[in-house]
Amino acid sequence: MSLEAFKSRVLPVKNKLYRFAYRLLGDDSEAQDVVQEVLIKVWDRHDTMDELENMEAWCMRVTRNLSYDKLKSRQRRMTDSFEEGFDIGATDDATPYKSAETKDTMRMIRKLMERLPDKQRHVMQLRDIEGYSYKEIGDILELDMSQVKVNLFRARKQIREHLINTTEYGLQ
């Protein structure tokens, strides 16, 4: 693919790619980064791009995949800082015992979330930690609204049951 072909076939879809990435990520700078990475990938493979029938579809797929990668890395960062950044009922006058108990509970929830099936874990992460709406989660994970709600319900139920068994009965 020549520079002229790149300018005529790829650059016109740049704004579509940005809007798609922005819808998935919800962050302007991350969406711009994704589009830039897509354009670099296209240019790096410019010698094989002439074989593609639908350049726009390929670019959209790469945009989606890179956006999902960013979401996963964001999730890892959130999971790594989950205990520190998630203060349930923490107050300035919390006793050391209460603080330790809360920290242990948050650590247990993080471990329980890691054991959930992928869909349930992603939906719970996006809803309860990231604060996305059901519709946004459906768009990000390509699920319909009912699937989002069912997966969230099942994830919360499983974690709740495990926490009750652990705290009430000492079962693990």
Side-chain angles (χ1 to χ4, degrees):
M1 171 187 303
S2 67
L3 179 60
E4 299 306 318
F6 181 82
K7 287 180 181 178
S8 66
R9 290 181 68 196
V10 179
L11 289 183
V13 300
K14 181 179 73 168
N15 291 334
K16 274 187 184 178
L17 299 175
Y18 169 78
R19 286 190 304 270
F20 184 56
Y22 183 78
R23 185 172 57 94
L24 292 174
L25 296 167
D27 183 85
D28 178 60
S29 63
E30 284 187 345
Q32 289 177 5
D33 289 346
V34 165
V35 172
Q36 183 175 359
E37 288 178 50
V38 170
L39 295 177
I40 290 170
K41 280 184 183 281
V42 170
W43 183 250
D44 286 345
R45 296 184 56 189
H46 70 277
D47 52 335
T48 60
M49 286 293 133
D50 290 328
E51 300 166 7
L52 290 176
E53 286 182 35
N54 190 340
M55 175 71 69
E56 183 176 337
W58 186 85
C59 290
M60 292 294 273
R61 190 173 332 125
V62 172
T63 301
R64 183 192 70 201
N65 292 340
L66 290 172
S67 296
Y68 284 163
D69 290 345
K70 287 228 183 257
L71 285 172
K72 287 177 186 174
S73 70
R74 189 188 298 170
Q75 178 183 356
R76 281 190 207 102
R77 285 192 308 267
M78 286 298 294
T79 302
D80 292 344
S81 64
F82 186 69
E83 299 160 359
E84 301 89 31
F86 201 70
D87 296 328
I88 295 182
T91 60
D92 294 335
D93 59 340
T95 65
Y97 173 78
K98 185 68 175 168
S99 296
E101 184 178 27
T102 301
K103 190 172 183 175
D104 287 344
T105 302
M106 297 318 305
R107 189 175 295 122
M108 188 182 311
I109 291 172
R110 181 178 48 87
K111 287 180 181 179
L112 291 171
M113 282 180 66
E114 290 171 3
R115 289 191 224 159
L116 291 172
D118 285 342
K119 275 187 192 175
Q120 291 178 12
R121 183 177 62 249
H122 293 304
V123 169
M124 188 171 187
Q125 174 77 29
L126 291 171
R127 178 67 181 170
D128 293 339
I129 296 172
E130 301 291 338
Y132 284 102
S133 70
Y134 292 124
K135 182 175 179 354
E136 291 171 323
I137 295 168
D139 291 343
I140 291 168
L141 300 177
E142 296 178 339
L143 300 171
D144 62 65
M145 188 83 70
S146 62
Q147 289 177 316
V148 171
K149 290 178 180 180
V150 166
N151 280 294
L152 183 61
F153 173 79
R154 290 178 180 167
R156 287 175 176 171
K157 181 180 177 189
Q158 188 172 347
I159 288 178
R160 181 175 43 252
E161 287 174 354
H162 194 291
L163 283 173
I164 289 170
N165 287 337
T166 301
T167 57
E168 298 294 322
Y169 306 111
L171 302 174
Q172 291 223 8

